Amino acid sequence: MALNSSSYEALKLVAEALINKSKEVVAPISGAIYSSIQVYSNNDKLLIHAGANIDPSSIELLKSRKHRNCAEKQAANSAAAEDLLNNAQMLIMFLYRAQDQKLKAEKLLPCIDCYETYIPELIKNKGLLVLIIDDDDERIFVNDTNYDNSIKTLQGIHYKIIDSTAMHNLNIETVLGARVCAESQ
């Protein structure tokens, strides 16, 4: 998917907003600096909500769907509380995770809980998952040998747009919280 100058300007604004939102993270356990912006459609209007991850109070609670406070969940909770929106109205999910080292693809994608909660509706809506990434290192985001996993770069913004067809094969974690819990010990 090629970006024209106006869509690049929009992507630049979203990237800046994601990076700013990530400064609201509370992550003393996971250390994950992670933000999400979600675009919803309601009565022919586009509505935007954002969230930043908030760690639960212990490492063990990171394995609990109930206690997870991922950026995606924070944005969805904002959409529900402020505008009475639900996942069926989501069109685009933007994600950003700050990195101080090369992160594996699955660390830049939704966790298994967020995948199961939000991605089916994005797929149904023929929506987009857009990753804003700090580098352009090769990673496998989609487990399909015919898929182009390369990261695009435009005027210093590294991004990956994943369409609804490819979302069926995202390279996500297999056990909720396993990565963070193993790294935090």
Side-chain angles (χ1 to χ4, degrees), residues 70-135:
C70 300
E72 299 94 325
K73 187 177 192 178
Q74 294 299 316
N77 286 345
S78 170
E82 297 295 321
D83 290 318
L84 304 177
L85 300 169
N86 61 55
N87 299 343
Q89 295 165 291
M90 191 184 309
L91 300 176
I92 305 172
M93 178 184 288
F94 293 91
L95 297 177
Y96 168 74
R97 181 164 180 184
Q99 60 194 67
D100 57 4
Q101 59 190 12
K102 181 179 177 180
L103 296 177
K104 295 179 181 178
E106 60 270 22
K107 285 192 150 200
L108 299 167
L109 293 167
C111 67
I112 192 168
D113 182 32
C114 289
Y115 179 86
E116 292 171 353
T117 304
Y118 307 109
I119 300 302
E121 297 297 342
L122 273 179
I123 291 170
K124 191 183 299 181
N125 293 336
K126 297 194 183 321
L128 299 172
L129 173 62
V130 182
L131 308 175
I132 303 298
I133 307 166
D134 286 339
D135 64 43

Side-chain angles (χ1 to χ4, degrees), residues 1-10 154:
M1 175 180 292
L3 296 179
N4 61 31
S5 62
S6 63
S7 57
Y8 164 73
E9 288 301 320
L154 184 59

Side-chain angles (χ1 to χ4, degrees), residues 5 8 34-35 51 53 58 75 89 107 118 130 155 167 174:
S5 62
Y8 164 73
Y34 195 33
S35 60
N53 67 302
S58 73
Q89 295 165 291
K107 285 192 150 200
Y118 307 109
V130 182
Q155 296 184 17
M167 282 185 236
T174 56

Side-chain angles (χ1 to χ4, degrees), residues 157-181:
I157 297 176
H158 306 293
Y159 65 95
K160 179 67 187 160
I161 299 172
I162 302 171
D163 67 22
S164 58
T165 303
M167 282 185 236
H168 288 283
N169 297 307
L170 286 178
N171 182 18
I172 60 168
E173 67 181 349
T174 56
V175 177
L176 184 66
R179 295 184 315 242
V180 174
C181 295

Side-chain angles (χ1 to χ4, degrees), residues 9-157:
E9 288 301 320
L11 182 65
K12 180 179 173 187
L13 290 172
V14 170
E16 290 170 357
L18 280 166
I19 291 167
N20 285 334
K21 188 66 177 175
S22 73
K23 294 174 183 171
E24 297 176 17
V25 164
V26 178
I29 297 171
S30 70
I33 299 171
Y34 195 33
S35 60
S36 178
I37 292 177
Q38 297 166 357
V39 180
Y40 296 82
S41 176
N42 188 27
N43 298 324
D44 296 325
K45 289 183 183 176
L46 293 179
L47 300 164
I48 299 170
H49 287 271
N53 67 302
I54 301 170
D55 283 353
S57 59
S58 73
I59 290 174
E60 282 305 309
L61 291 178
L62 282 170
K63 297 178 187 177
S64 165
R65 291 176 190 257
K66 178 181 175 183
H67 294 95
R68 295 282 291 218
N69 292 303
C70 300
E72 299 94 325
K73 187 177 192 178
Q74 294 299 316
N77 286 345
S78 170
E82 297 295 321
D83 290 318
L84 304 177
L85 300 169
N86 61 55
N87 299 343
Q89 295 165 291
M90 191 184 309
L91 300 176
I92 305 172
M93 178 184 288
F94 293 91
L95 297 177
Y96 168 74
R97 181 164 180 184
Q99 60 194 67
D100 57 4
Q101 59 190 12
K102 181 179 177 180
L103 296 177
K104 295 179 181 178
E106 60 270 22
K107 285 192 150 200
L108 299 167
L109 293 167
C111 67
I112 192 168
D113 182 32
C114 289
Y115 179 86
E116 292 171 353
T117 304
Y118 307 109
I119 300 302
E121 297 297 342
L122 273 179
I123 291 170
K124 191 183 299 181
N125 293 336
K126 297 194 183 321
L128 299 172
L129 173 62
V130 182
L131 308 175
I132 303 298
I133 307 166
D134 286 339
D135 64 43
D136 61 354
D137 292 344
E138 286 188 34
R139 295 176 177 87
I140 298 174
F141 294 104
V142 176
N143 294 315
D144 179 345
T145 55
N146 296 318
Y147 184 77
D148 177 8
N149 276 292
S150 64
I151 297 170
K152 308 295 183 211
T153 302
L154 184 59
Q155 296 184 17
I157 297 176

